[in-house]
Amino acid sequence: CNVDKWCYCWEKRFIGRNNWIIYMEIKIYNQKGGDAGTIALPEKVFFAKWRADLVHQVVESMRSNKRSGTADTKDRGEVRGGGRKPWKQKGTGRARHGSSRSPIWVGGGVTHGPLAEKNYKRKISKKMRAQALFSVLSKKLKDKEVIFVDTLTMPKMNTKAGVEVMKNLAKATGFKNLANSKKPRVLTALFARNANTEKSFRNIPSLEIVFLKNLNPHDVLKHQFLLIEAPKEAVEFLSTRG
């Protein structure tokens, strides 16, 4: 297949009765926006069924796990003061009160308020997390919002060079938000740690850097585009999950 900007090569092969294997190839770019070859993507990672229920469950569980759970209020027994009866029980013409720290008083305790002892943690199995990630990656690829780059390694720390790389990719793919956006719209998944690469790209407003081993559906859905470095190694690593 003659792969252009966003041309996908699909091939469906018959391997037995009612059994088919789908092969998909996509273009790889270099730092100058040129052609660096193609890569065959596995079906289970980038051709998974969209499962909105599973993605919602995993993403909400991840958000819940990030909650610190430090919100805490004091009830009437924990608020300082209020030990003396404000006024005598009868004869004043006012309502009966036993403490100035009652929940109906200003400065009193809080009724049914949040307590720090509440646990917001939710369990997410490895299989659920992997299947949700595959579903999100497949949806992103279907919407043509995944970009593969052969390498993002920089010879030295240089933010200007990093911006130039993003402009080249934006020009090659036709996505202006890759370089011009003032909000993080591109999630850049680095395969390995590289100090020069991280420091060259971290000051670009449109980018947010993560490492491939930490890639999750929550971060992918927060951004419009996904930029994956070292596609062959990355795809091989993703195939081992789930």
Side-chain angles (χ1 to χ4, degrees), residues 88-206:
K88 65 180 184 178
Q89 183 80 350
K90 296 178 180 293
T92 64
R94 290 180 288 185
R96 297 170 291 183
H97 287 289
S99 173
S100 60
R101 295 300 178 261
S102 169
I104 65 176
W105 281 59
V106 176
V110 178
T111 305
H112 305 303
L115 301 177
E117 61 190 26
K118 185 173 182 180
N119 186 4
Y120 293 97
K121 298 297 182 182
R122 297 183 185 179
K123 182 180 179 181
I124 309 174
S125 66
K126 292 182 179 179
K127 186 174 182 180
M128 287 177 57
R129 188 187 297 266
Q131 293 301 320
L133 177 60
F134 295 164
S135 183
V136 171
L137 291 177
S138 302
K139 183 70 166 57
K140 282 287 183 183
L141 186 67
K142 183 179 179 181
D143 295 339
K144 300 179 181 180
E145 295 176 345
V146 181
I147 305 170
F148 293 95
V149 183
D150 57 351
T151 180
L152 290 174
T153 303
M154 309 295 287
K156 62 180 181 178
M157 181 185 66
N158 192 333
T159 301
K160 185 177 181 180
V163 173
E164 189 65 26
V165 171
M166 298 309 301
K167 288 183 177 179
N168 293 337
L169 292 175
K171 184 177 181 180
T173 58
F175 298 139
K176 296 181 180 180
N177 290 337
L178 290 180
N180 297 335
S181 176
K182 295 183 179 180
K183 296 181 179 180
R185 294 183 181 275
V186 185
L187 183 65
T188 306
L190 301 179
F191 183 74
R193 183 174 291 278
N194 186 296
N196 291 337
T197 302
E198 295 174 46
K199 293 178 180 179
S200 298
F201 286 96
R202 69 183 181 184
N203 290 329
I204 303 177
S206 61

Side-chain angles (χ1 to χ4, degrees), residues 67-78:
R67 295 187 65 173
S68 58
T70 56
D72 186 72
T73 56
K74 295 181 179 180
D75 59 23
R76 63 183 298 166
E78 297 173 321

Side-chain angles (χ1 to χ4, degrees), residues 12-21:
K12 195 174 182 181
R13 297 181 183 177
F14 183 68
I15 61 173
R17 185 172 181 178
N18 297 327
N19 292 322
W20 297 82
I21 291 182

